[in-house]
Amino acid sequence: MLNINNNTSHVKREILVRIAKLQLEGKLAERVQFIPREMAPKDKAPFYCCTYHDRQILKMRVMARMGISVESYDEDKLLSDYATEALKRKAPTWPMLTVLHDACNACVKSHYMVTNACQGCFARPCMMNCPKKAIHVERHAHIDESLCVNCGLCMQNCPYHAIVKIPVPCEEACPVGAITKDETGRESIDYHKCIYCGNCMRECPFGAMMDKSQLVDVIAHIMHKKKVVAMYAPAIASQFRAAPGQLETVLKECGFSKVMEVALGADLTAEKEAKEFEERMARGDKMMTTSCCSAYVRAVKIHVPELAECVSETRSPMHYTAAMAKKDDPDCVTVFIGPCLAKRREGFEDPDVDYVLSVEEIAAFFEAKQLDVTKAECAVIENPPTVSARNFAKSGGVAEAVRLRLKDDSILRPTVINGLGKEGMKTLMMYGKINSGEIPYKEDTPNLIEVMACEGGCIAGPSVITNPKVAGVQLGKYSAEGNPDKGK
């Protein structure tokens, strides 16, 4: 996993902050065209071939940060024109990801390579274990690319770790094969296969995969004095090391008329899933899976249909929270804030959710407003959600919340698929085969399967700004301030 502290994330964040500041000053359309020039001045060594190419790539990044598809890029069109379009936009536009082909490195096909650490050893385990006889050894080992099938056995057997895999990071990170090279060697996304896990966006070292921000839209509604409701996921508190009540204060200082913790919706999700689980087991179902991770739900729908009937029919915490907000005020603008890309996809399909912001976007908004969450006063939260609801943000938290709400938890055999990488998808497919009868069902087969697309849970989502281990510790402190669960 690419560390969150890298130049790509810093540049994307800086662009967001600059856009937010200009918009808040009422100067976005007037001044946005200067952002590439200011970020790539002539006296700064260029990353690409020249300063002008750097500025061209930055122009595309600014477009994406204003919620515009780079695929519609017109080099003769000014950023100010794109900004005017963004400010007039009535709703987010599809697709929610955009690929900067000019930024893509067009990486060579994934392959294995022998480094100069090779000792040409007498044992020659690389050659002896190659199933295709693609390796021969003279003074050093050599791989015949025409015979190699990229099985990796040579790398696994080399005692000197002299053989390395040269990956294509975005393709390697995609668990469902939705990313492939086009005729130019650059990457493209098959949105019919994509589950919007965000791995490609997070792992591309060149920042060629970008989400289309909705921050301009949300700020515009706030500046137009609309009633805008912020609904923040529990994982957000862990990103800012916030104490309960501090996010409420800062979000209201940003102009949100109301702030709701999505863990309130998680309490509803847990209660409904517990009831549904009991009903399913009573009627003889083999298993039920959780439903709050929308990347997982889409993965089943597209790639593991054998498991589709096992997915809980209960809606996500985001939906229930938005429904509560709309019930109180049907005309309000609902904004979910989380660390997840797939939630943005879910938001497109939920009429109660108007916008979805990432933690990266809300952090940029805070910076533009010069607000420090850790120094904010703690607003009084009269009826906080439960501890277990706030723990939805970590792997294992959903299954535990369901367990606590069962009348008899002795019927429960839970398991967790912690991350939908390629291995996680294989495990998912295995459960699909169990449900279809292709693999025999056993009495000890888990009957409640929690699936998190991100390893570690939402605290490790593709848009996080804090190390997941640090976020996990902070989430524990934050969750502990919730209402106690009844327990057993």
Side-chain angles (χ1 to χ4, degrees):
M1 180 184 294
L2 194 65
N3 193 293
I4 57 173
N5 183 26
N6 64 77
N7 191 55
T8 296
S9 62
H10 289 180
V11 168
K12 290 165 65 178
R13 173 83 170 272
E14 182 180 347
I15 292 172
L16 275 174
V17 173
R18 285 174 177 265
I19 288 172
K21 283 182 177 178
L22 289 175
Q23 188 176 2
L24 291 167
E25 293 169 0
K27 298 179 180 178
L28 182 60
E30 175 188 345
R31 300 286 304 175
V32 69
Q33 68 266 26
F34 297 113
I35 292 179
R37 187 187 305 178
E38 292 167 355
M39 293 182 65
K42 287 185 178 180
D43 59 354
K44 180 182 178 181
F47 174 81
Y48 293 98
C49 58
C50 64
T51 298
Y52 298 103
H53 193 186
D54 279 11
R55 290 177 180 176
Q56 181 186 29
I57 300 297
L58 282 167
K59 179 180 178 181
M60 294 179 186
R61 295 195 191 283
V62 172
M63 286 175 60
R65 300 281 80 177
M66 291 193 297
I68 298 167
S69 293
V70 174
E71 285 79 1
S72 63
Y73 175 69
D74 180 351
E75 64 179 11
D76 294 326
K77 193 172 181 177
L78 297 175
L79 273 177
S80 56
D81 296 328
Y82 285 117
T84 300
E85 289 179 11
L87 291 169
K88 291 180 179 179
R89 188 168 52 221
K90 300 298 182 183
T93 58
W94 185 259
M96 41 184 276
L97 281 169
T98 187
V99 183
L100 281 65
H101 278 186
D102 282 10
C104 178
N105 192 49
C107 304
V108 296
K109 183 181 177 182
S110 178
H111 66 285
Y112 289 86
M113 184 180 76
V114 182
T115 70
N116 58 10
C118 176
Q119 303 295 304
C121 66
F122 182 69
R124 300 184 177 181
C126 58
M127 183 178 76
M128 299 295 289
N129 287 282
C130 178
K132 297 298 180 180
K133 308 300 179 186
I135 298 180
H136 69 277
V137 182
E138 296 170 359
R139 295 179 66 85
H140 295 90
H142 301 272
I143 299 175
D144 185 338
E145 298 287 348
S146 66
L147 297 175
C148 178
V149 293
N150 287 328
C151 66
L153 288 173
C154 56
M155 183 178 73
Q156 294 172 28
N157 283 280
C158 177
Y160 292 100
H161 304 288
I163 300 177
V164 296
K165 183 177 183 179
I166 308 298
V168 179
C170 60
E171 291 182 13
E172 193 79 10
C174 180
V176 293
I179 300 178
T180 54
K181 294 182 181 296
D182 61 18
E183 62 278 4
T184 69
R186 289 177 169 80
E187 306 297 335
S188 60
I189 301 172
D190 184 342
Y191 292 111
H192 296 292
K193 291 183 179 180
C194 180
I195 62 172
Y196 302 98
C197 61
N199 287 348
C200 61
M201 182 180 74
R202 172 170 51 195
E203 297 301 322
C204 176
F206 289 86
M209 308 287 183
M210 289 185 67
D211 59 319
K212 288 161 56 180
S213 174
Q214 297 179 12
L215 184 58
V216 166
D217 309 71
V218 173
I219 293 177
H221 282 301
I222 290 173
M223 293 180 71
H224 291 149
K225 307 300 181 183
K226 295 283 187 69
K227 293 180 180 178
V228 186
V229 179
M231 310 177 299
Y232 71 90
I236 300 304
S238 70
Q239 297 299 301
F240 293 102
R241 305 189 183 189
Q246 287 185 308
L247 272 173
E248 281 77 0
T249 298
V250 175
L251 286 166
K252 285 191 175 181
E253 288 180 8
C254 283
F256 290 96
S257 58
K258 185 177 181 179
V259 180
M260 300 177 71
E261 194 171 343
V262 176
L264 293 168
D267 271 320
L268 282 174
T269 295
E271 290 169 11
K272 291 176 180 292
E273 282 200 341
K275 183 179 179 181
E276 183 182 353
F277 176 76
E278 290 169 337
E279 292 172 349
R280 282 174 175 260
M281 294 304 103
R283 75 187 185 203
D285 286 11
K286 293 177 183 177
M287 63 187 78
M288 185 184 92
T289 76
T290 55
S291 60
C292 62
C293 176
S294 43
Y296 155 67
V297 173
R298 184 170 171 82
V300 169
K301 181 179 179 181
I302 299 174
H303 302 284
V304 197
E306 303 86 354
L307 203 58
E309 64 182 28
C310 299
V311 178
S312 169
E313 296 175 0
T314 300
R315 302 293 295 272
S316 71
M318 177 178 80
H319 167 77
Y320 290 124
T321 308
M324 285 188 275
K326 291 290 189 180
K327 184 178 179 180
D328 289 342
D329 184 355
D331 296 325
C332 74
V333 177
T334 53
V335 181
F336 174 81
I337 305 168
C340 177
L341 185 67
K343 284 296 177 188
R344 186 164 285 171
R345 179 69 178 84
E346 182 185 339
F348 269 96
E349 299 175 339
D350 191 334
D352 288 332
V353 179
D354 295 310
Y355 297 97
V356 176
L357 293 184
S358 69
V359 62
E360 181 184 47
E361 290 168 296
I362 203 66
F365 195 7
F366 291 166
E367 187 172 340
K369 294 277 289 184
Q370 297 183 321
L371 298 171
D372 186 341
V373 178
T374 61
K375 296 179 181 177
E377 292 184 7
C378 293
V380 176
I381 303 176
E382 295 181 358
N383 188 28
T386 63
V387 172
S388 64
R390 284 177 170 172
N391 278 329
F392 263 54
K394 68 178 183 180
S395 186
V398 180
E400 175 62 10
V402 171
R403 183 192 71 80
L404 289 168
R405 288 158 177 81
L406 293 175
K407 295 175 183 176
D408 177 12
D409 63 9
S410 65
I411 65 171
L412 183 69
R413 298 188 304 276
T415 192
V416 176
I417 297 180
N418 183 22
L420 275 188
K422 292 179 179 177
E423 289 303 314
M425 285 299 298
K426 288 179 182 178
T427 304
L428 207 61
M429 291 175 183
M430 178 195 71
Y431 284 116
K433 291 177 180 179
I434 291 174
N435 187 59
S436 67
E438 187 176 341
I439 294 177
Y441 173 80
K442 298 179 181 179
E443 291 300 320
D444 62 348
T445 298
N447 57 9
L448 179 67
I449 305 167
E450 179 199 301
V451 188
M452 287 285 190
C454 298
E455 186 175 347
C458 303
I459 55 174
S463 299
V464 297
I465 58 173
T466 298
N467 182 291
K469 290 184 179 179
V470 175
V473 173
Q474 179 59 30
L475 178 69
K477 296 176 182 177
Y478 190 85
S479 298
E481 298 295 324
N483 270 328
D485 289 276
K486 292 179 182 179
K488 297 294 178 183

